[in-house]
Amino acid sequence: MKKYMLALFLLLLAGCSDGEGKQHTKFTEQQAVPFELVHYEEKIAPIYESLVPYIAYANTPSQFEALQGRFNVENFSIDMDKYMAVFIVTYSDGCGTSVDGVYNQDDFLSVQLIDAKGESCDVEGVPHTFVLQVEKNDYKKVQLFNGEIIKSSVDVE
């Protein structure tokens, strides 16, 4: 009987915990990389509809033009001599999502998303397309995070 009471007590204790103590920041301020959001819209390029979330990068003018065409986003430019472009397509609920920060973690460029919180968020997904301008560096991989979960990554070639 004591085993059952102990098990019941542990279940009740675990059920009352809100889990806030377990969350920790994956990235530090020292890892932060300056970035600028150069393009945003709530629509998704048709080619990536089944692959969301998706992240891609451009280091050269030809890569940049190709990704602008594939993502169907135009009317902006980036100085490709100084910067690289990071293209992100993702879904969120009706409250939205935003880029929380960009970080250099062991030569991996990591983009952190943050979901907006609200009481009246739609359950149906809303597509988002982001284009970020980031200073060039020798990154090995570009990654997309939502919280501590990697949603997408691509090797830098």
Side-chain angles (χ1 to χ4, degrees):
M1 183 72 173
K2 288 183 181 181
K3 287 183 187 179
Y4 294 114
M5 292 299 284
L6 180 61
L8 182 60
F9 175 73
L10 290 174
L11 283 174
L12 285 172
L13 185 62
C16 293
S17 171
D18 61 2
E20 290 295 320
K22 295 180 182 178
Q23 294 179 353
H24 56 81
T25 306
K26 183 150 186 81
F27 306 107
T28 65
E29 282 187 39
Q30 290 78 22
Q31 295 172 315
V33 174
F35 74 97
E36 183 178 340
L37 181 64
V38 293
H39 185 83
Y40 170 76
E41 56 187 68
E42 286 189 11
K43 89 171 189 184
I44 190 168
I47 192 168
Y48 295 108
E49 209 162 272
S50 62
L51 299 176
V52 171
Y54 189 81
I55 191 166
Y57 72 94
N59 272 329
T60 65
S62 60
Q63 289 174 337
F64 180 68
E65 281 183 32
L67 287 177
Q68 276 186 306
R70 289 171 71 187
F71 281 82
N72 196 22
V73 291
E74 297 178 6
N75 300 326
F76 67 94
S77 63
I78 294 177
D79 181 356
M80 297 306 294
D81 292 330
K82 293 182 182 179
Y83 301 101
M84 66 185 288
V86 179
F87 289 73
I88 301 167
V89 176
T90 189
Y91 274 105
S92 74
D93 58 20
C95 286
T97 191
S98 61
V99 176
D100 187 43
V102 178
Y103 304 92
N104 182 351
Q105 183 183 39
D106 301 324
D107 293 328
F108 287 15
L109 182 69
S110 302
V111 178
Q112 177 72 47
L113 297 179
I114 187 168
D115 292 331
K117 303 289 184 207
E119 293 179 18
S120 60
C121 300
D122 296 332
V123 175
E124 188 175 318
V126 176
H128 304 277
T129 302
F130 298 93
V131 182
L132 308 177
Q133 172 181 291
V134 180
E135 289 183 15
K136 279 193 174 182
N137 199 346
D138 292 328
Y139 297 110
K140 297 175 187 173
K141 189 174 279 205
V142 178
Q143 301 177 313
L144 176 62
F145 281 83
N146 194 344
E148 294 188 13
I149 300 169
I150 295 177
K151 294 294 188 178
S152 183
S153 70
V154 62
D155 290 333
V156 175
E157 298 173 0

